[in-house]
Amino acid sequence: MIAPRPFRFFADLWRRDRLTALGVATLLILLLLGVLGPYLPIGDATRLAVGPRLSPPSWRFPFGTDELGRSFLPRVVIGIRSTFLLSAAAVTMTASLGTLIGMVAGYYRGLADEVVARSADVLFSFPALLAGLLIAAAVGPGRITAISVIAIVALPLFVRIVRSVTLALTGRGFIVAAEVAGASTLRILGVHILPNIAGAVVVQFTYALSIGMIIESALSFLGLGVQPPDASLGSLLRQASVYLTFAPWLALTSGVVLSLAIMSVNLVGDAVRDALEPLNRRALT
Amino acid sequence: MRHLIYAASTLASGLGTMLGAAVLVFVALRFVPGGYADMLLGPFVTPAAREAIEKRYGLDQPVAAQFLHWLAAIAHGDFGVSMVTQKPVLDEFLRRAPVTLELAILALIMALLVGLPLGVVAGVAPANAKRSVAAARLVGAFGLSVPDFVLGTVLILVFSMWSLWLKVGGFVPFGEDPVLNLRTVLLPSAALALFGAALILRTTRDAVLRVMTEPFITAAVARGESPAIIVRRHVLRNAAIPVVTVITTYFGFLLGGAVVVEVLFSVPGIGLYTYNGLGNRDYAIVQTGVLLAACVFVAVNMLADMLYVLIDPRLAR
Amino acid sequence: MIKGPKVFGAIALGALLAANATLAADRTLVWGKPAEITGFDVHVAGTITSWEMYEMVYETLLTTDENLKLQPGLAESWEQTSPTSYTFKLRPDAKFSNGRPVTSQDVAGTFARIKDPKTASYWSAQLGDIAKVETPDDHTVKVELKAPHPAFLAALSHITAAVIPIKELNEGTFDPTKDLMGSGPFAVAGHKQDESWTLSRNPYYRGNLPVAEKIETPIIPDSSARMAALRDGRIDFSAFDNPDIAQALAKTPNVAVLPQKTTNYYRIDVNALNPKSPFHDKRVRQAMNLALDRDAIASLVFDGTTSVDYPVPAAFGKNACKSTPTYAWSRDKRLEKAKALLKEAGNPNPKVTLMATSIDPIYPMIAQVAQQSLAEAGFQVQIETPSLPDYLKKVFTDGDFDFALSFLAGYTDPSMVIGWWNPNFAIWNTSFQEDVPALDKVLDEIKAMPDGSERDGKLDEACKLIDDGANLVALVNVVGYVAYRTDRVKVKIAPRSGSSNTYRYIAEFVPLH
């Protein structure tokens, strides 16, 4: 009897690095919950008055009930879904855009590069949350707002790193050779430069994802994220904080799950970074 | 001469960053729906009243003209008045700056006290000391993963359920009662410090680990220097640059962006003021707040540059 | 480094103020205020958070008691000599906090300032058309109206009609847009924006009142933080609107909670005027009004501590409106009718967006219950939670919405609140309220009638028309809760309040430490 491959992989990982294994396991469980949430037999996330209001955790309501008599467990599950989904969508878009901008700036140098570098600085100097509050105020709260705020905060992260790696690459022999051979710019960027910066982008991606999740939840915590009855882990915590001292299970469950979700991304991100960029080759800040 | 050119260009790029931030916040604010007239009059706003208020604050002019007026006024030290109180916002920012500064310094001290020693220990620990390395990693991942408002909420829960010495909210200025002041600011500082501690820990550990693989460490060990001296003389000095970078960045973040924690604990700092200003559509407050944050960002970067030179004089050349 | 000394100056000043604070610490009350005022001008600001501060400092000619009956205020007596003429006798002992007696000129100047379009006071319409104001002597004011306006006296009892020191205003020593100065029990001794107020006793206030020397007023927006502050004794009293919090606080040692009924209720504004909104069709509005489950809102959001309310607030004890289909029919019958109406309108599943401003968590909660109850009739409701100014502009200026949650101040007389259904009079709802001439006529008649069975009959008539329009919809009563430390303060709270003057008896609060 041979264990199926994923299990063997996991057993290996567990033996080598327990912390990473725990991170991978948590991330997988949360992702599964987020994706399958609506189909799981854990109750309806939006149905009101299925139980008494603000009742403590029980067999029927493992996370208790909220202020409108909803079961809190399915609410946390849709919260996981929003928090992951919104951040992942925003960071993926930003990573593509940031990589493109960074590559072009780093490759062409000159004025374009100067403009890009300065703009990245301006974005960077803007306190992330203030930027978020401004955008949310202008656009109104909602999914789009959360995604754009994360994108704006994460964009300079990608632009900066991709630009600096591209700058370092452009003088290198194989690029010059390709240029001499008459390769088109698109080809040089796509075939010669992109594979060489992929590692840096992936590492930056996990970092940006965890920051994106923190920002999404902070915005929701201030009431600027997803709209009710939809929920994100941050908006659940916001609502729960009204009942903090007499229904603490609401704040504790949503807070703990939120922290676990971000932590699993960070742990997996660490492992990815260790694998792709060994310490002695890593550019330290 | 070279130094001068360098300083001038740094200053110019700093000013450029601030100008960019100024344009961004100014334009963004004009896109924000609803204005102070709505806040003041509630449902009872009329076109005439809205016009009167917009005229009083020059909001009826084209945005470009408003912006230039604002810049010109700032050049004369006038940052505008709060629409709610009709008083200069600069006075209010100056009154609140010590509060945010205190919060930032306390958080930084806590973060350094935890992050630096743990980072060094995790970095110089022998490769077979798996447990201590894993512990440092866990603390690092934990600190980066628990958002300040989650930690803040838990702290509020614990400290408002049981009367432990520390207090939730009810800020008292340091000059009024230093002990009471500490009792009210330690919790928000702690909520802010966790992230910093983790950041400093991880950066320190990585920097130390890398220095440890350098040939001159092997050489020092071969010369028979004691481990304490090696750590102090070689490792720390050479690992300092990235650590300084992360510390200054973190400090800049604390000075400019501790909005959520200030809101959560009702700490009357500049973050809360800017946040409320945005809620009231009190433009001068938000504009000054963002400009101040950008200014802090630039200043902190300059500070980092100066520190690099202090640590490693070779960088001055 | 030019800014350095200023910063340290500020710290030193703080220390100085602190020294003063400890000297007068006895007989001090601490009031936890949930939000900062939105402006200083008492004749302009239309927000409760501003009113509750004004009520500490200013006085009105008349006030109302817990039965919503008029009581003397600055005027010790008043007399209506004809349907359009009134004479007020001012108290001879009323003085502003600078020691100057309140005179008839102050009252006349106040009326003029409220009516002046440049002031942009929303209370101008409530005072009616003033033909002339005479001041035969320092303590007599005679007002002549152009037309009968029985709500005139009630309008004078609202804080927005506060009498301000006109002499100082004219001399330029008092600017009502920057300062507060009145003849009320307290005067402002210090203010840190968004942080705290310090109120000190107006030494010229009548009798031996107020009892307290001083009221320290920290601003604590977060309700959990305010709860904690009550528990650890940092504040002596504060008001809450969330019944769960009130119940949790009532279990705390040394803390007592008093409910205060109001004539206010939560309401829904429905946009009848925007052709893009499904509610442009009256039948869809009626279906919405019928399908709303008000009982569910009362039981789920407020844990059964409040009750269903009517266009003419239940607190006035009138039976008007209770017989309309919205209230008299069973829920099943209402749902059936609602579905039929939607079908008739050719829109069995209208897509509508319900606005619930995020300023108070109560609104999104009500919105979610409304969403679920409307779904049973076929509505597809989306909820939006914009910030307060965003919501205010979209609803009251742009008319760019489907329906929105709000609350209605019922004031002190049915004829005042019911006037809101005439957009020509109310003005604020012209952006979404349909003008129904038949209703306007009935409302005008009500306004000119004294209280009595004849007026009650007219109220009934108005209610039918209001229910038919389904344009401004009542939900449930607003109950306020005042929580206080029994060991620190003896409070006096009216069991009912008509003008959001929760702390009407603040002068009689007794500090116990």
Side-chain angles (χ1 to χ4, degrees):
Chain A
M1 170 97 190
I2 299 166
R5 280 188 62 180
F7 288 101
R8 237 174 32 208
F9 164 77
F10 191 76
D12 279 353
L13 191 61
W14 177 253
R15 229 170 294 126
R16 268 188 297 129
D17 183 350
R18 287 193 188 179
L19 216 46
T20 305
L22 275 177
V24 170
T26 315
L27 185 61
L28 280 179
I29 292 171
L30 290 178
L31 280 179
L32 273 176
L33 274 179
V35 174
L36 301 178
Y39 312 104
L40 294 177
I42 49 171
D44 191 325
T46 52
R47 187 83 217 150
L48 307 178
V50 293
R53 308 169 69 250
L54 300 170
S55 64
S58 61
W59 277 113
R60 191 161 160 236
F61 306 114
F63 282 10
T65 58
D66 72 359
E67 66 281 358
L68 292 174
R70 284 176 292 212
S71 175
F72 203 57
L73 174 64
R75 292 202 59 73
V76 170
V77 168
I78 63 162
I80 296 173
R81 190 184 170 86
S82 315
T83 300
F84 265 117
L85 220 65
L86 287 180
S87 323
V91 174
T92 310
M93 282 183 337
T94 314
S96 330
L97 188 68
T99 306
L100 189 70
I101 297 176
M103 273 201 309
V104 169
Y107 183 69
Y108 283 108
R109 307 191 178 206
L111 187 67
D113 180 39
E114 194 57 32
V115 171
V116 167
R118 282 288 131 255
S119 313
D121 269 356
V122 171
L123 282 186
F124 223 70
S125 75
F126 226 87
L129 207 69
L130 270 184
L133 291 173
L134 263 176
I135 296 172
V139 186
R143 287 205 182 92
I144 308 288
T145 304
I147 290 182
S148 11
V149 173
I150 298 169
I152 286 187
V153 174
L155 192 64
L157 293 178
F158 288 101
V159 171
R160 281 185 156 191
I161 198 90
V162 170
R163 175 180 163 267
S164 71
V165 180
T166 312
L167 272 175
L169 280 173
T170 38
R172 297 267 289 276
F174 67 101
I175 303 284
V176 178
E179 282 168 340
V180 171
S184 70
T185 310
L186 207 64
R187 192 177 158 77
I188 291 177
L189 288 182
V191 177
H192 298 287
I193 295 184
L194 193 58
N196 283 294
I197 57 173
V201 172
V202 169
V203 169
Q204 205 68 4
F205 184 90
T206 57
Y207 177 53
L209 186 60
S210 92
I211 289 187
M213 289 167 74
I214 291 181
I215 290 174
E216 191 281 328
S217 50
L219 281 178
S220 303
F221 184 71
L222 293 173
L224 303 167
V226 296
Q227 298 292 286
D230 197 0
S232 102
L233 292 171
S235 72
L236 290 174
L237 187 62
R238 166 195 171 80
Q239 190 63 28
S241 67
V242 175
Y243 309 95
L244 187 62
T245 47
F246 49 97
W249 55 89
L250 299 174
L252 288 177
T253 46
S254 46
V256 166
V257 171
L258 173 60
S259 306
L260 274 179
I262 301 174
M263 192 149 149
S264 66
V265 169
N266 274 330
L267 285 173
V268 173
D270 280 353
V272 170
R273 187 172 68 153
D274 287 344
L276 291 179
E277 290 185 344
L279 196 62
N280 49 11
R281 276 189 27 214
R282 195 179 297 167
L284 279 173
T285 31
Chain B
M1 192 61 205
R2 225 210 242 142
H3 286 321
L4 240 131
I5 294 175
Y6 176 73
S9 79
T10 320
L11 208 65
S13 91
L15 279 177
T17 305
M18 282 164 65
L19 190 68
V23 173
L24 268 187
V25 64
F26 202 90
V27 175
L29 263 183
R30 266 68 191 170
F31 276 106
V32 169
Y36 174 64
D38 298 294
M39 284 306 289
L40 175 63
L41 298 163
F44 306 107
V45 67
T46 57
R50 189 184 293 279
E51 221 166 85
I53 286 174
E54 283 179 353
K55 203 161 172 198
R56 190 185 312 159
Y57 297 102
L59 302 175
D60 50 344
Q61 295 167 24
V63 176
Q66 288 180 42
F67 182 70
L68 291 178
H69 277 156
W70 181 53
L71 281 193
I74 288 177
H76 291 97
D78 172 12
F79 285 76
V81 294
S82 155
M83 297 187 202
V84 174
T85 61
Q86 315 275 326
K87 295 190 178 92
V89 295
L90 186 63
D91 294 355
E92 192 64 27
F93 272 103
L94 289 179
R95 187 175 75 78
R96 285 163 176 265
V99 181
T100 297
L101 194 66
E102 186 194 357
L103 208 60
I105 290 175
L106 276 177
L108 185 66
I109 291 175
M110 283 190 232
L112 285 174
L113 284 180
V114 176
L116 270 185
L118 272 180
V120 173
V121 168
V124 300
N128 55 9
K130 266 190 168 171
R131 266 174 203 285
S132 71
V133 174
R137 229 186 108 192
L138 189 66
V139 172
F142 181 77
L144 287 189
S145 309
V146 180
D148 47 18
F149 57 89
V150 174
L151 181 61
T153 305
V154 173
L155 289 177
I156 290 181
L157 173 64
V158 171
F159 285 85
S160 57
M161 294 277 264
W162 299 280
S163 24
L164 307 163
W165 190 66
L166 296 174
K167 281 175 172 279
V168 174
F171 176 82
V172 175
F174 189 79
E176 202 170 290
D177 185 340
V179 177
L180 200 56
N181 167 273
L182 279 183
R183 287 169 66 185
T184 58
V185 292
L186 276 176
L187 288 179
S189 312
L192 285 168
L194 180 66
F195 186 80
L199 207 62
I200 293 169
L201 186 160
R202 286 163 60 105
T203 313
T204 310
R205 185 202 57 179
D206 283 4
V208 168
L209 270 175
R210 192 159 76 149
V211 173
M212 291 296 283
T213 64
E214 299 278 349
F216 58 81
I217 299 290
T218 325
V221 175
R223 277 200 300 275
E225 289 180 25
S226 80
I229 287 183
I230 297 179
V231 168
R232 209 177 317 135
R233 201 175 282 167
H234 302 289
V235 178
L236 290 188
R237 176 165 289 250
N238 284 288
I241 297 254
V243 176
V244 165
T245 307
V246 85
I247 290 173
T248 46
T249 312
Y250 171 61
F251 195 55
F253 154 79
L254 287 176
L255 286 177
V259 179
V260 185
V261 168
E262 286 189 9
V263 171
L264 198 61
F265 286 88
S266 326
V267 180
I270 54 177
L272 181 61
Y273 188 52
T274 313
Y275 177 78
N276 285 337
L278 184 60
N280 279 334
R281 303 294 187 262
D282 205 338
Y283 291 166
I285 295 176
V286 186
Q287 285 162 199
T288 311
V290 169
L291 202 61
L292 213 67
C295 180
V296 165
F297 172 82
V298 169
V300 158
N301 274 345
M302 286 184 180
L303 181 74
D305 283 346
M306 287 194 294
L307 286 177
Y308 297 153
V309 175
L310 273 182
I311 295 163
D312 190 348
R314 281 171 302 177
L315 285 176
R317 272 173 282 149
Chain C
M1 283 313 317
I2 317 156
K3 287 174 192 163
K6 255 192 172 170
V7 175
F8 291 113
I11 295 174
L13 194 70
L16 215 82
L17 287 173
N20 281 339
T22 38
L23 278 178
D26 44 325
R27 305 201 76 71
T28 295
L29 289 174
V30 188
W31 165 33
K33 187 166 161 42
E36 179 62 289
I37 62 169
T38 56
F40 276 78
D41 197 329
V42 64
H43 295 149
V44 174
T47 48
I48 289 186
T49 173
S50 305
W51 296 346
E52 44 174 37
M53 181 53 76
Y54 301 157
E55 272 150 2
M56 302 281 160
V57 176
Y58 289 109
E59 278 187 300
T60 45
L61 278 180
L62 308 173
T63 59
T64 47
D65 62 11
E66 47 261 50
N67 299 315
L68 308 180
K69 295 281 169 264
L70 292 170
Q71 296 292 327
L74 272 174
E76 62 179 1
S77 67
W78 64 95
E79 190 182 4
Q80 185 169 9
T81 47
S82 86
T84 56
S85 1
Y86 298 84
T87 304
F88 301 91
K89 283 276 178 205
L90 300 186
R91 308 179 63 108
D93 56 349
K95 283 178 180 166
F96 291 109
S97 53
N98 63 357
R100 184 175 71 76
V102 180
T103 68
S104 51
Q105 282 80 22
D106 292 307
V107 179
T110 294
F111 286 163
R113 186 166 189 272
I114 294 173
K115 296 304 290 184
D116 184 353
K118 268 192 282 179
T119 310
S121 171
Y122 68 97
W123 211 244
S124 173
Q126 290 282 12
L127 289 190
D129 274 334
I130 297 179
K132 65 176 179 209
V133 181
E134 285 173 349
T135 53
D137 63 57
D138 269 1
H139 292 104
T140 310
V141 183
K142 290 186 162 186
V143 180
E144 183 68 38
L145 300 178
K146 283 183 187 151
H149 181 53
F152 178 64
L153 292 176
L156 290 180
S157 71
H158 192 266
I159 191 64
T160 311
V163 176
I164 64 168
I166 292 296
K167 181 163 173 270
E168 284 76 1
L169 169 62
N170 291 337
E171 285 169 355
T173 52
F174 166 66
D175 182 349
T177 65
K178 284 186 183 177
D179 292 305
L180 305 180
M181 185 172 109
S183 55
F186 292 93
V188 178
H191 177 216
K192 295 179 188 169
Q193 188 176 4
D194 295 335
E195 190 181 338
S196 67
W197 290 74
T198 304
L199 302 173
S200 64
R201 187 172 189 272
N202 171 5
Y204 305 101
Y205 198 69
R206 54 186 164 268
N208 288 321
L209 298 175
V211 180
E213 275 299 326
K214 213 165 126 187
I215 303 181
E216 288 292 349
T217 311
I219 296 166
I220 312 173
D222 185 68
S223 53
S224 300
R226 247 179 311 135
M227 280 180 80
L230 266 173
R231 198 176 286 137
D232 68 18
R234 210 169 68 236
I235 60 175
D236 300 340
F237 63 97
S238 186
F240 296 85
D241 61 357
N242 187 320
D244 295 309
I245 291 178
Q247 284 168 17
L249 269 172
K251 291 179 201 138
T252 312
N254 293 326
V255 174
V257 179
L258 290 174
Q260 184 178 50
K261 291 213 153 172
T262 67
T263 56
N264 305 342
Y265 52 75
Y266 291 99
R267 71 166 203 253
I268 293 185
D269 294 333
V270 191
N271 195 345
L273 298 184
N274 188 343
K276 281 188 292 182
S277 169
F279 290 131
H280 192 53
D281 188 326
K282 186 160 95 178
R283 290 165 296 191
V284 181
R285 296 204 299 277
Q286 289 169 335
M288 192 280 295
N289 191 19
L290 286 168
L292 276 176
D293 191 348
R294 292 170 172 81
D295 292 316
I297 294 175
S299 66
L300 268 177
V301 180
F302 298 94
D303 201 21
T305 56
T306 182
S307 48
V308 170
D309 217 330
Y310 313 84
V312 173
F316 291 121
K318 304 284 177 198
N319 276 322
C321 300
K322 292 188 182 168
S323 57
T324 56
T326 310
Y327 297 100
W329 291 2
S330 73
R331 176 149 167 80
D332 287 341
K333 192 173 169 192
R334 283 185 285 137
L335 276 178
E336 202 177 303
K337 175 75 177 165
K339 283 181 198 156
L341 279 165
L342 289 180
K343 207 168 158 197
E344 199 186 308
N347 195 357
N349 298 99
K351 272 198 168 142
V352 284
T353 304
L354 176 56
M355 253 196 223
T357 170
S358 57
I359 195 75
D360 187 331
I362 288 279
Y363 291 117
M365 285 165 70
I366 298 177
Q368 292 176 68
V369 179
Q371 179 186 46
Q372 194 144 318
S373 63
L374 292 178
E376 289 175 52
F379 283 94
Q380 294 175 309
V381 181
Q382 266 215 338
I383 298 172
E384 235 177 51
T385 61
S387 67
L388 188 57
D390 188 0
Y391 145 79
L392 288 168
K393 175 130 196 293
K394 282 206 175 99
V395 173
F396 299 103
T397 299
D398 301 342
D400 178 19
F401 72 109
D402 292 330
F403 57 156
L405 279 167
S406 178
F407 87 91
L408 191 97
Y411 304 125
T412 44
D413 186 87
S415 75
M416 290 173 81
V417 56
I418 210 153
W420 292 146
W421 271 266
N422 177 356
N424 303 313
F425 166 76
I427 308 293
W428 53 264
N429 52 14
T430 42
S431 53
F432 62 85
Q433 177 107 1
E434 190 177 22
D435 186 19
V436 183
L439 179 57
D440 296 351
K441 194 174 148 274
V442 177
L443 294 178
D444 281 344
E445 286 167 19
I446 290 173
K447 261 198 279 180
M449 279 178 182
D451 193 5
S453 63
E454 198 193 344
R455 191 174 82 165
D456 289 352
K458 275 283 168 202
L459 282 174
D460 256 346
E461 208 176 305
C463 280
K464 288 203 183 71
L465 288 163
I466 287 171
D467 202 55
D468 179 68
N471 205 165
L472 211 139
V473 168
L475 297 176
V476 296
N477 188 235
V478 176
V479 181
Y481 297 91
V482 176
Y484 65 99
R485 294 279 305 207
T486 49
D487 55 339
R488 296 190 175 241
V489 58
K490 216 173 113 217
V491 300
K492 182 173 175 192
I493 299 286
R496 201 153 60 143
S497 144
S499 292
S500 313
N501 52 349
T502 310
Y503 303 116
R504 174 175 137 79
Y505 299 111
I506 185 70
E508 294 165 53
F509 278 29
V510 183
L512 297 177
H513 30 164

